[in-house]
Amino acid sequence: MLLDNILTLTIFLPMAGVVALFFIGKEKSDTIKYVGIGTTMLTFAVSMVLWLKFDSTTSAFQFARQVPWIRALNISYSVGIDGMSLLLILLTTFLTPLALLGTWNSIQHRLREYTMMILLLEVGMVGVFAALDLFLFYVFWEAMLIPMYFIIGIWGGQDRIYAAVKFFLYTLGGSLLMLVAILTLGYLSSTMQGGRFTMNLVDLYRVGPSLAMHVQTWLFLAFALSFAIKVPLFPLHTWLPDAHVQAPTAGSVILAGVLLKMGTYGFIRFCLPLFPDAAIRLAPWMSLLAVVGIVYGALVAMVQTDMKKLVAYSSVSHLGFVVLGIFAMTEEGIQGAMIQMVNHGLSTGALFLLVGFVYDRTHTRLISEYGGIVKPMPVYAAALLFMSLSSIGLPGLNGFVGEFLVLLGAFKSKILDTYAFAGIAALGVIFSAVYLLWMYQRVVFGPMRAGGLYGGHHLADINRRERWSLVPIAIFIVWIGVYPSLFLTKSAPVAKRIVEQIDAVKRGAVPRYTMAPAPARRMAPARHPARLAAERAGESERLP
Amino acid sequence: MITFAPLLVLFPLLGFLFNGVFGWKIKNEKLLGIVGSGSVGLSFILASVIFVQMLGVEESARKQSVEVFTWVSTFTGSSSSFSASVAYQIDQLSILMALIVTGVGFLIHVYSIGYMRGDPGFWRFFAYLNLFIFAMLNLVLADNFLLMFLGWEGVGLCSYLLIGFWYDRKFDIGGEEAGSTYTGHAGMKAFIVNRIGDFGFLMGMLLIFVTFGSLRYDSVFSNATIMSVGTPVLTWITLFLFVGATGKSAQIPLHVWLPDAMAGPTPVSALIHAATMVTAGVYMVARCSILFALAPTSMLVVAIIGALTAFCAATIGLVQNDIKKVLAYSTVSQLGYMFLAMGVAAFSAGIFHLMTHAFFKALLFLGSGAVIHAMHEEQDIQKMGGLKKYLPITHKTFVAGALALAGFPLLSGFFSKDEILWNAFIGEHGSPLLWLIGATAAAFTAFYSFRLVTLTFDGKERFDHHHLHPHEAPATMYVPLVILAVLSVVGGLVGIPHVSQLEHWLDPVFDPAKIKLMQTEHEGFGLELLFMVVSGTIALAGIWAARKVYLERPEVAEQYASRFKKLYRLLWNKYFVDEGYNAVAVRPIVKGSDFLLWKGFDVAVIDGALDGSAAFVNKIASVLRKIQTGVAQSYATAIVGGILFVLTWIVLR
């Protein structure tokens, strides 16, 4: 019984923390923190059950539950996970407690509400990765926006309102079109033979690929816009630097670590399997944007003066790799993209934590305000180097595995059919070293400013709590870098399934559903060719 | 025995973990030093045992590999999808490299115990050194390109860490813009320039996979043998791989990082920036000899770049005054010789020179370290002189190294360099021009090495006696010097053409390439002997000239400097390459990214459009809201007006 609902438990467990927080006085800040950490750690423990019980031989959705919700529209509460969702859910439940731990003393006012928001955010994030009903997915997708909006808008920096509104409008603008596309897809399903209006993803997996190219293309674009904003894909990225710089540290960690992956997750979960023809057709264009993002993000990151902005732009570059891998549509590319989502969550999450640690001490993030901090903070310097190297993609650490698979996938890809994408993307290898090591040089080495005194405070090295928020991340960084099979075997069936589907579509093995020419003015539901044929044969009464 | 091969790599890794994790707590330098050098020593012993065993078996059984675990793969089980393992291959070439790396590495570790004594970062130093040996052994022992790349980037990381080891020190960048900068800058420059090379390696590796469907040496090379000479994709693969080699082995145009890398502690310069890491590019080309043999264009490029580098770096070495800078340019130049050898398909000769160079250049660097130690961190040879009285052992060993470098007849460097020059003349793509460039560079080499010796150890004492009392280094430092000196003198004997076994030892590795090139044993032993005599004469002439000028008539050097002012300035400024790169690449990219991309496109165009549309909506709203006055009468008027309008429209339609 419990095991049947373990996924639902993972999703909603943080809510229990929210409820508990209602009954805790807002002045008891320590209790609030313990409730926050405790709930998220418990959620992680529960999600570990998913990991342990997961069957990595199948690409089917596991731990699936379906409960009718809005019967009239055939909408149900339907959840289930495959290898990709598993990795991302684990990443979410893993990073959230670490983000809270790493920013223990960073939030001074309205701590209770802040903790609630983080917990609500977790519900939304895990829900997005688990939902198998498009309507439910949309609800989680939008629900998650609200706590993030408040986290930036209330606990953010100087220009937090501007950043929060920009974040909100950007994301909402995209997702409204997605809603239209979702409803259209459900409606198109009802026009098919024996069809009904449905939001069930597994059912729609059969509907989408049979749609005509132009229909697929429009729907693909509507979904893709929403996901591209979230990723963010060049040139839709400008909300990201503002949101990151203004968000409190934990917000940045979760934003970079998990939220951005929802875009790339969406591409793999929806865009590719629902609209394969359109995806194949548009793959070169998506890859082009990805590759431009890789180089552009890296170059712009290089010239940033604010550490957080630098890391934010580096995300644009790194996520470009993920998108490139996805639209290479090869096993290497998609496997690389999926592991790279996890990698980016770990290394960039850690980098944001590290920037947060010095910000807590000095209240500045300007690179020029730092220098020579290796003397007072040697452990910090080592940690920053380690995380930077992970982000640079040094072989032996996690980033390399993902980047290499992506590049290989893009190189092999018959759909992209040119080495140019991978070749240009590989330049990112050079630039990532440039921007991170240059920042490292200016912040950590060189002359020390004011003898290590900032605002009258001596710079203390990172303390035990801060160290322990990094150690688990470091362990996984090495683990994935040295022995990635444990993770890649989980996502392998997903990659295999998607590539097989794409190949089948390319061979033309999927029945095509064409829209009937619309009779004057009124849009008529088009008919399935099989049904038309059946009607002609006078057998229509046998079909429902 | 092959089953123990992974241990070769494991010992230094354990040393790294011990020193890296517990080192900061351990104050006992002896323990740290013993663990650090001991782990490398163990690997050396194991490598020797494997080597002896290999001697005992027949030639075909000498190549073996062992797989440890699957590293990077898609794990989808599809046959065509990617998979690469952590797997090691022992063959004639890799065991030779492993012996050099662990043998010279061990000596340098021991030397470092003395050299780094009292340094607060002692533990860190040994941790990095061990990590380096670990990475380097992965590089040479890997049985596939991906694992080689792990080692390749790993040594680059260690190089970065060790160049910037004394992060609070400054160093002189040399040339006219002479200023000083922090050592970290040099480390960063090394890493980034290497990454440019790594980009080439990566591209080559990707192309190899799409061409051959695997990254294992075995399957790649055996599939390559059935391809025809001049297949375009092989030319691309080898050219990309060579870009990687130019980065790691400091060849033109990516040589700029190595001289700056001298900012690191001297044992690092000896181990990483002379004996081992910088030869990785040579090793890689040798390893891929069959691919290069099938790409004549690439071979030619390798030969030309090698010869040019050998020449240009030697000319710069003529005028530098920093003892380590001279040696650095010398290293660049000698690496050029090795690539020249590769380019003319004299693979064994190149590897032979790699080995002898590891001995004598490590010796020279360690000797210079002893000098710098004695001179309290002074590196300017113009401020030395007459040191042989104070540093007798260092002096003798240094001279042995310099003689070997100069190519003094019958020392190690003589045989290996001579063989390269001979092949440059007569080998594949060989030409009299390549020989001439190489021979001229050899003359310069002899000259600058003895300029260095003479200015440092002979002549007047030009340092301040009141503050400096030069003294010989401790035993941990001079014992390695003596061992390396012996190797520099006799190390050449293993590779004397027609006499020794080294060439034939490596034959199985290079035979596939040689068959493709249809290389015949060159007749004319007499001609080869003549070339040997010429090489020897060139070396002796260079040494004689340097002794003559700097011992007897030092004013001649200054006269020449002022007579050829422009040339001197060009050399003194290292051909202005750094300045050129800054002007052409670095500054435009940084400025362009800052003003065009970020402030121009991101902020002005995209956000401008966004904020602009927001402002536009705002503006419209501020106009429209005036309609909403809250006065009921005006609403009523509007309603009546509306109704009238609609009615009129219906009626008149």
Side-chain angles (χ1 to χ4, degrees), chain B residues 450-637:
Chain B
F450 275 82
R451 171 178 177 264
L452 184 63
V453 171
T454 313
L455 285 176
T456 310
F457 292 100
D458 300 293
K460 275 205 302 265
E461 296 171 13
R462 295 183 296 276
F463 53 87
D464 186 357
H465 277 282
H466 301 290
H467 297 291
L468 277 174
H469 308 283
H471 55 90
E472 193 59 273
T476 48
M477 285 169 71
Y478 71 68
V479 171
L481 287 181
V482 173
I483 297 174
L484 285 169
V486 172
L487 287 170
S488 302
V489 173
V490 303
L493 300 179
V494 299
I496 302 172
H498 303 289
V499 181
S500 80
Q501 293 303 309
L502 180 77
E503 214 178 335
H504 299 296
W505 171 257
L506 289 173
D507 270 351
V509 182
F510 300 128
D511 268 349
K514 297 223 160 175
I515 291 165
K516 279 286 165 188
L517 292 165
M518 282 181 282
Q519 224 172 33
T520 47
E521 284 296 310
H522 300 294
E523 297 301 319
F525 186 62
L527 189 62
E528 193 175 348
L529 212 60
L530 177 68
F531 268 79
M532 246 184 202
V533 174
V534 174
S535 297
T537 315
I538 290 171
L540 290 174
I543 296 170
W544 175 81
R547 296 296 284 183
K548 187 88 184 160
V549 169
Y550 291 97
L551 213 50
E552 292 168 21
R553 306 177 56 193
E555 73 282 357
V556 172
E558 275 166 36
Q559 282 167 11
Y560 271 80
S562 54
R563 194 182 309 164
F564 301 103
K565 215 170 186 143
K566 276 193 177 146
L567 183 66
Y568 179 80
R569 203 175 146 235
L570 189 67
L571 296 180
W572 175 242
N573 287 293
K574 308 159 287 186
Y575 296 101
F576 296 100
V577 177
D578 277 318
E579 288 79 359
Y581 284 171
N582 275 333
V584 175
V586 179
R587 270 196 290 269
I589 289 177
V590 172
K591 293 269 180 249
S593 305
D594 197 5
F595 294 108
L596 288 179
L597 296 185
W598 180 35
K599 287 170 190 147
F601 191 71
D602 238 59
V603 175
V605 177
I606 303 181
D607 275 355
L610 277 175
D611 294 344
S613 55
F616 179 68
V617 172
N618 233 334
K619 201 121 212 181
I620 291 177
S622 67
V623 174
L624 287 182
R625 77 168 181 207
K626 290 188 178 134
I627 298 169
Q628 200 140 359
T629 53
V631 180
Q633 285 94 324
S634 50
Y635 290 166
T637 317

Side-chain angles (χ1 to χ4, degrees), chain A residues 466-497:
Chain A
E466 287 164 330
R467 273 178 224 183
W468 279 107
S469 65
L470 295 174
V471 166
I473 300 179
I475 289 172
F476 279 97
I477 282 175
V478 175
W479 194 341
I480 298 178
V482 175
Y483 196 71
S485 73
L486 195 72
F487 304 88
L488 286 171
T489 44
K490 293 279 189 294
S491 55
V494 183
K496 206 173 159 67
R497 181 187 69 207

